[in-house]
Amino acid sequence: MPGVLKRAEDYHTNPGNDHAPVDVTAGRMAGEGLKKGQAEGVINGDVHVNGTRPLRNGQYANGIDQDMVLSPQGLTAVVEKISEQLPPEIEHLTTGYLPLSKLITRLTQDTFNGLTEVINELEEMQVPQPNNSNPYLNGVGTNQATQVTVEKKTRMWDFAQDRRAKFIKILVLSQWSRQAEAVSRVIDLNLWIDKQKNLYNEATAWIGELKRILASVKVPSPDLKTALEALSTGKASWLPDLGYVPPEPLSSQRLLKALRTINALLSIRLNLHETIPPPFRGFTIASGRATFHVPDEFELDISIADEDISSQLYFIDFRFLFSPCLTEVPAGRLRGEIEGKTNDILKNDGLAGCYVFLRNLVLTHKLSILRHQAFDIARGRWSENIRVEVVHRSIVIHYWMNKPGGKSWIEIGIKHGKRKESLVSSSLHADPYIALRWHRYGKEVRGAEIGLDLGDLSMEKILKHVIALHTSFILHQTKHKLQEGSIYSKRMLALKRRASAAEPADCSLEVQLTSSQTVKIVQEPISGAFALLPTSGLYSRVERDLNSLREPAVELASRITNLRCIAAQDEIEAFAKLIGWEPLKTISPDPETVARLFSRIVVRIGFFKIKSWGSVWMLASTTSMSGDSWWVVESYRPEATEPMPKNSPELRAAFRIPVRGLEFSVIEPSYSTLFRVETTAAAIVSQYVDTRHLARMQIAHRQQEPATLSTPIQTSGLYIHFSPRHVPPILRTPSPSSQAWCHEIVEVLFKGLNSARTSTYHIIRAQLLNPIPNVQSLTTTIESSISFHPTSGVLAFRLSTPVGISIIPAVFDRLKRIERLIRFLGVIEQYNLQCETLSLSRLVFTYAKTPQELRADISFATDAPMRMSLELGNPHLRIRDFLTGLLNSNTGLENVTRVLRITLPLLRAFSTLESNHTQDNLQILARSATWYRVRYERPQAVFDVNLRQRRDGVMWYLQDLTEKVNVGRRNQRLVEGMSGLWQERGEGWKGMKAGIIAEVEGVEKLVEKIDEIVREAGSEGVGQDGGGDHIGRHRGRDNDAAERERELGLVEKRGKAEGKEVVILD
């Protein structure tokens, strides 16, 4: 017990020592009443009492002042001071104490329960009933009844004895409880004494350890004598010489030889004398050691120390072959333990036992790493969604803890037995390995290919892999159920599942709700909650429903089907309003009308009005689980002449709008799709009114798919039987010819709507009887509304009409106008002209390019004569009126083109003459397109040039009419020059005594030759023949008409005399 002890010398030196024991006792008794907190405050007090003598040690007293003890007040102060300096109270032990009342209560309850069980057992022990022939005798039953009774009594006696023993123990404990305080102090004192003993032992051990540590730190005293001798003589005389011969150092060659010897011995021993387990059979030998490699687990290096095959193999090195882990075991206690244990096993069990030991070590270490990783992720972002349990060496991870329905978890542990994929049969017991079991919704999943990467351990990767398989299973089942419907089974809507075995976030199911709306179903890996992407208000409501499913693999498909129907109906109406269609809410046909016009499987139907179509035609959309469809609907016209039957519906006819060749499809509610629907509907309406118009006009026609021209609108073509000679009177237009110029079949194809969507335009095609192969070379610019194919002879043009108005009258009118254009193209091809502009109202072509480019512009309208325009400087301007007359005659453009070609050299020569002479000296008069008179004033001369028929062609005939129109004297030099010209022959011309004939290309040089003769004759002066010229000029002007008549008569007579026909082109 704590107290204060006095030294012996204090009783001899202190005169008041008789009171010292009283003081000490008083101090002890006072100290016992102190509290624990007060005692702790004086553990390291300033004054330490060890007797009554005060001993000074600096400023502090080691004892009690003598003056304080002599007085009563000082004695009280001493007692209080000693009480403050006492050590703390012994720690009172309360751990593990139970109240005696609780023990008595539990024993009483246990006795009652036991008594109840005994009574029940005694009740079950039935005493057999005696027979009538063997009644009870003297109150005692049979031997069998006596035996049962004895067993009952014995059972009751045993129970009473057992209970009595326990209650006696309680009695003893109750007697001890009366001295509980004293016993508690004895227990506390014993505990304190044991602690003090431990402190002594620990202090002794610490001193010994300190001495051991300081031994290496202590520097021994230097041996100067030995050092001096060793440094001076190189040896120490007191050191004994054992006569050892130092070994020679190994050279690199000897070291290499030794290593090769060890390698050979290892190879012989391992291949011939050792039993190697199958995993160790792929070993390598190098550098004096054998290395056994077990993939994804470890590598072991061993070697030998003796050539004897019975000697032990020794451990050299050990390395782990997986991560996260240290590749080499660092030097220390762990490596020492592994080395020592491995060498023992190699000595006793050989390589097989070594493999088993190291394999178990590695597997246990792997599970330890996985367990630590599991707890780490459970404390991280997977918190509250997974629960980790450790059962023996196995790890159990529950995932998706907050989802309703059955629970799911995985178990990772060591499994014994042969693997299914193992192809190596071992004579030893089957190797243990790390395996995984997966329970999905409380049921074990068998046959699932769950790969464990034991070379790179990652619990999060394993968990993600299992969750990815779970998510893929749910999405696969959902896709399979959705494909049971015709919408997805016939691939009207896309259904795409993305699966990943490593990342559950990459697993998704893309469901195409409509042609323009796709929802992506994903499952959050950590919590398992479903999400629909992209987010919307509709999807948010569905998400809450999906996350409440107890069996998502079974119920998810039905929720997605409902979502598809809702989305389709919403999109159709929304986009219809955007494109300008007006929903007609008032039209509600009865089921009979719907079944008659549409289909019996239609669930919902909506009508839309297009303002530019009037009140007769409208659009309708129908939706069902088999697909969606568009219809164009005709209502009864208010002005219809046919009587309206009673109780008839408002709708007259409905025509389904084809979509990709399917009976039912999925509507794509977008601007482009609805515009295509509107365009297709307009095509159906146009074809319907056209066929109705042709039937009314009794014109043969048929409908079939287009043969060659592809159109974006899926409508059949309209083929009309057209003949220029059999056009109905109401459609006839004036035409100069009734000959057939195209085939009798005309194709009418719908092309589309205009930008305002108020009118339709069509492409009309016809086949020419005579194709124009070089149409591209004939013209550089052609009207955009008409085109010609050069090889097939197909022509096509475009017409536009309002929706619901027949285009047939405009087609026949345009065909007549094209007929005239075809004739013009024939002429252009015949004469090899270059056409620059070609349309139904204008034709521009070039008929000469050298020495200058000459072009003609012909304009023509439907009810007006054709007009020709020529550019300024064109030689044919002088005969433009004659050409216009020829253009509007029966021969038309063909004769005009021929005249342009024939007269071009002559008119070009006339233009040259006019540029060389003044206006008063030269006059050129065009009598017609083929007859010209040239008159010179100085000297006076008159020449006629006209075109005549000669053999198979035409030639220009030039005559000198100077003598006929001039009565004066002629210029002699001119007469001489012309006389010689009549006898000459030039390039392209020839003198004929009475005149000169020239070819079409040679007339230009002839005119230039005559002009040269006239100018040479005129250079002599005007005085010689000026009077005669003046008189002749006036007479020639008066007799021009008579000369023309006489000339025509001469030509006709000469032609008849020669027996040839003369063609007058004008």
Side-chain angles (χ1 to χ4, degrees), residues 951-964:
R951 295 187 179 92
D952 295 334
V954 293
M955 301 188 70
W956 289 103
Y957 183 71
L958 186 142
Q959 287 181 316
D960 187 1
L961 301 181
T962 305
E963 295 181 355
K964 296 182 180 180

Side-chain angles (χ1 to χ4, degrees), residues 415-419 426-433:
K415 186 176 182 180
H416 296 270
K418 190 175 180 180
R419 303 189 190 186
S426 176
S427 59
L428 304 176
H429 63 279
D431 296 335
Y433 60 94

Side-chain angles (χ1 to χ4, degrees), residues 397-698:
I397 302 179
H398 299 260
Y399 61 92
W400 293 351
M401 296 295 299
N402 299 323
K403 286 192 65 67
K407 302 303 178 182
S408 303
W409 68 90
I410 59 174
E411 299 177 10
I412 302 177
I414 296 178
K415 186 176 182 180
H416 296 270
K418 190 175 180 180
R419 303 189 190 186
K420 295 181 180 179
E421 64 272 13
S422 178
L423 300 178
V424 180
S425 60
S426 176
S427 59
L428 304 176
H429 63 279
D431 296 335
Y433 60 94
I434 295 179
L436 184 146
R437 290 197 304 173
W438 176 26
H439 292 75
R440 184 176 61 212
Y441 300 122
K443 298 180 180 179
E444 183 178 358
V445 180
R446 299 183 181 274
E449 298 180 358
I450 304 177
L452 295 177
D453 187 4
L454 299 179
D456 184 12
L457 299 178
S458 176
M459 179 57 75
E460 186 172 8
K461 186 186 298 184
I462 296 174
L463 187 59
K464 284 186 176 181
H465 177 49
V466 174
I467 293 177
L469 294 178
H470 196 160
T471 303
S472 298
F473 169 76
I474 295 175
L475 298 181
H476 174 74
Q477 294 295 323
T478 303
K479 179 183 177 182
H480 178 71
K481 292 183 178 295
L482 289 176
Q483 287 178 339
E484 295 178 356
S486 60
I487 295 179
Y488 297 104
S489 62
K490 296 181 180 180
R491 298 184 179 180
M492 300 178 189
L493 293 178
L495 194 62
K496 185 176 182 180
R497 182 177 70 92
R498 297 180 183 271
S500 174
E503 182 57 48
D506 296 337
C507 300
S508 62
L509 178 63
E510 294 183 3
V511 182
Q512 189 178 9
L513 303 179
T514 63
S515 298
S516 60
Q517 185 177 358
T518 301
V519 62
K520 184 177 182 180
I521 306 172
V522 298
Q523 194 170 18
E524 203 275 325
I526 297 178
S527 64
F530 289 100
L532 302 181
L533 302 177
T535 58
S536 66
L538 175 61
Y539 294 169
S540 299
R541 296 191 299 270
V542 178
E543 282 181 8
R544 290 192 295 269
D545 188 19
L546 297 182
N547 290 323
S548 63
L549 301 178
R550 300 185 63 85
E551 296 184 5
V554 179
E555 305 173 12
L556 184 60
S558 60
R559 303 303 194 276
I560 301 302
T561 301
N562 295 335
L563 176 62
R564 189 266 156 189
C565 297
I566 296 173
Q569 292 297 327
D570 292 346
E571 284 192 355
I572 291 174
E573 185 174 354
F575 278 92
K577 293 179 180 178
L578 292 177
I579 201 174
W581 298 354
E582 180 184 354
L584 301 177
K585 301 293 185 180
T586 58
I587 299 180
S588 179
D590 55 88
E592 295 182 359
T593 304
V594 174
R596 177 175 58 87
L597 298 180
F598 304 102
S599 176
R600 295 185 180 274
I601 62 175
V602 171
V603 178
R604 297 188 63 181
I605 182 171
F607 295 91
F608 304 94
K609 176 183 178 182
I610 302 177
K611 296 181 180 180
S612 60
W613 289 16
S615 59
V616 177
W617 299 95
M618 66 188 72
L619 293 177
S621 66
T622 57
T623 305
S624 66
M625 293 306 297
S626 298
D628 308 328
S629 186
W630 282 100
W631 304 77
V632 57
V633 182
E634 182 187 16
S635 61
Y636 280 97
R637 288 185 174 87
E639 65 278 9
T641 56
E642 57 217 35
M644 182 80 67
K646 295 182 179 180
N647 300 327
S648 64
E650 300 178 358
L651 307 181
R652 179 178 182 178
F655 307 94
R656 193 183 66 84
I657 301 176
V659 179
R660 294 188 295 274
L662 300 177
E663 182 179 0
F664 289 95
S665 62
V666 178
I667 297 175
E668 180 182 355
S670 63
Y671 181 85
S672 59
T673 302
L674 297 187
F675 177 75
R676 186 167 63 251
V677 169
E678 180 179 350
T679 304
T680 308
I684 296 175
V685 171
S686 299
Q687 192 174 76
Y688 182 74
V689 297
D690 290 342
T691 53
R692 183 186 295 176
H693 184 86
L694 291 173
R696 189 184 304 114
M697 301 302 298
Q698 298 182 356

Side-chain angles (χ1 to χ4, degrees), residues 686-687 689-695 697 699-701 718-720 722 727-728 730-731 746-748 762 764 797 799 801 805-815:
S686 299
Q687 192 174 76
V689 297
D690 290 342
T691 53
R692 183 186 295 176
H693 184 86
L694 291 173
M697 301 302 298
I699 298 177
H701 63 278
L718 180 62
Y719 296 86
I720 306 173
F722 170 77
V727 177
I730 192 172
L731 301 177
V746 177
E747 183 180 10
V748 179
H762 297 71
I764 294 89
F797 57 90
L799 290 177
T801 56
I805 304 301
S806 177
I807 201 173
I808 300 303
V811 170
F812 283 98
D813 178 70
R814 182 61 62 86
L815 289 174

